[in-house]
Amino acid sequence: MKLQFGFDLGGTKTELAVLNANGEFVFRQRVPTPRDSYPLILQTLAGLLNMACESLGTPRPHSIGVGMPGCVDAVSGLVRGSNTLVLNQQPFWSDLKHALGCEIRVQNDANCLALSEAIDGAGSDAGVVFAAILGTGCGGGMVVNRQLVTGRHAIAGEWGHNPLPWPSADEIQVPACWCGQTGCLETWISGTAFAQDHLRHTGQTLDAPAIVQAMRNGELQAAETFDRYVHRLGRALAQVINLLDPDCMVLGGGMSNVQEIYPRVGEVISQYSFGVKATTPVRQAVHGDSSGIRGAAWLCR
Ligand SMILES: [Zn+2]
């Protein structure tokens, strides 16, 4: 049986999973990421692969997918933009290839989400799928006919670092983004940004789940923070429609669990999409926290 191997290399946990042809997990192991040592990260990945091959009684796969934050520069082959800082500026791709003895396909977590959901998740019935992670940060990925669109510079889908469209007067004072720009979508519609917006307007320091709970308890200020959030998200997704007009949009990350988003965001999208009442479904990711690892495994299908 054809097996698909995928690593999810996160800032705190490193996971290896093996999927069978039906997309079922046949092996799954998670260990802490040795985030302060580049050689130890390589050793950890090699150790997990040995464990999986022994446990399954299978030879080393021809290729393995790796999902991680940041990207491998298409020209230099060096990692950039990873929050596991020791990976940045390392030739991770070629070093890992030698450490594991097989071919490597590396993609960021948002691209892995998009691929996972397009293949057997919330977008499996759609030809063109746009997926967004709304979590600590904000990223996007695009899949066309079950193939990831990565782009000339491997930055396709970096929608989180486009500016918030159609800003209102009180959105002109834009927050700074870690990427060096100001007013990026990440600073408005990530879970982190949701909490910061609440703090700016109310002086209350609450995390995103606590604000959602306050809204459900009927607190007016929390409801207003959520109204602003849905409106910004709707505008951001309308911009995706005006550029790509996908068949389906899928949301992942912590904010995607807030069910109140789904019945409301479509109306805002329609208000800003060009000349149409948008019928594009906006769906919650089906595979939840497993999207990263599943997408990584599907990279080599
Ligand atoms: Zn940015």
Side-chain angles (χ1 to χ4, degrees):
M1 183 191 291
K2 177 88 172 121
L3 298 175
Q4 309 287 344
F5 288 64
F7 282 110
D8 188 5
L9 178 52
T12 53
K13 293 280 189 329
T14 296
E15 184 172 5
L16 173 62
V18 185
L19 301 180
N20 66 17
N22 298 324
E24 296 156 345
F25 288 107
V26 294
F27 176 90
R28 204 167 180 187
Q29 184 72 40
R30 182 183 275 199
V31 297
T33 301
R35 55 177 299 129
D36 298 321
S37 166
Y38 179 63
L40 272 182
I41 288 175
L42 294 172
Q43 274 180 38
T44 300
L45 295 169
L48 282 170
L49 179 60
N50 287 337
M51 194 190 296
C53 292
E54 275 174 29
S55 152
L56 296 167
T58 182
R60 216 156 263 265
H62 174 261
S63 57
I64 298 190
V66 181
M68 55 184 266
C71 68
V72 175
D73 188 280
V75 178
S76 69
L78 304 179
V79 174
R80 58 183 160 80
S82 174
N83 53 8
T84 301
L85 298 176
V86 296
L87 288 173
N88 288 324
Q89 298 306 312
Q90 296 286 355
F92 181 60
W93 197 326
S94 57
D95 287 347
L96 190 59
K97 186 174 163 177
H98 286 116
L100 302 184
C102 50
E103 295 296 322
I104 307 296
R105 308 244 166 91
V106 179
Q107 285 298 335
N108 71 34
D109 43 0
N111 282 348
C112 288
L113 167 75
L115 190 57
S116 167
E117 293 296 326
I119 288 182
D120 64 354
S124 62
D125 60 345
V128 179
V129 177
F130 176 81
I133 292 184
L134 307 171
T136 310
C138 170
M142 293 176 289
V143 173
V144 177
N145 296 331
R146 302 188 153 203
Q147 293 292 325
L148 204 49
V149 178
T150 53
R152 180 180 174 94
H153 308 94
I155 60 165
E158 290 292 359
W159 160 83
H161 298 280
N162 279 346
L164 179 73
W166 301 285
S168 62
D170 68 345
E171 291 166 341
I172 299 294
Q173 290 290 334
V174 292
C177 182
W178 65 267
C179 75
Q181 301 290 356
T182 51
C184 295
L185 284 175
E186 180 157 310
T187 66
W188 293 109
I189 61 171
S190 63
T192 312
F194 177 59
Q196 285 168 346
D197 183 64
H198 190 71
L199 173 62
R200 274 196 302 271
H201 280 81
T202 67
Q204 295 172 352
T205 303
L206 295 176
D207 64 10
I211 300 165
V212 171
Q213 192 53 53
M215 169 190 74
R216 288 174 183 160
N217 293 342
E219 288 184 27
L220 181 62
Q221 286 185 318
E224 287 172 349
T225 299
F226 186 70
D227 288 348
R228 288 190 297 276
Y229 182 85
V230 170
H231 205 271
R232 288 165 184 160
L233 178 63
R235 280 179 267 157
L237 293 175
Q239 204 174 40
V240 173
I241 293 181
N242 290 350
L243 182 67
L244 183 67
D245 200 5
D247 297 310
C248 175
M249 300 199 281
V250 182
L251 306 182
M255 289 304 291
S256 74
N257 297 319
V258 183
Q259 296 305 316
E260 288 88 341
I261 288 175
Y262 300 93
R264 292 183 45 190
V265 75
E267 193 179 316
V268 185
I269 293 173
S270 279
Q271 207 179 321
Y272 290 90
S273 46
F274 180 65
V276 294
K277 178 176 173 10
T279 57
T280 319
V282 180
R283 299 174 181 151
Q284 184 178 5
V286 165
H287 294 299
D289 292 343
S290 298
S291 274
I293 191 99
R294 295 181 70 86
W298 289 133
L299 287 171
C300 299
R301 82 194 188 287

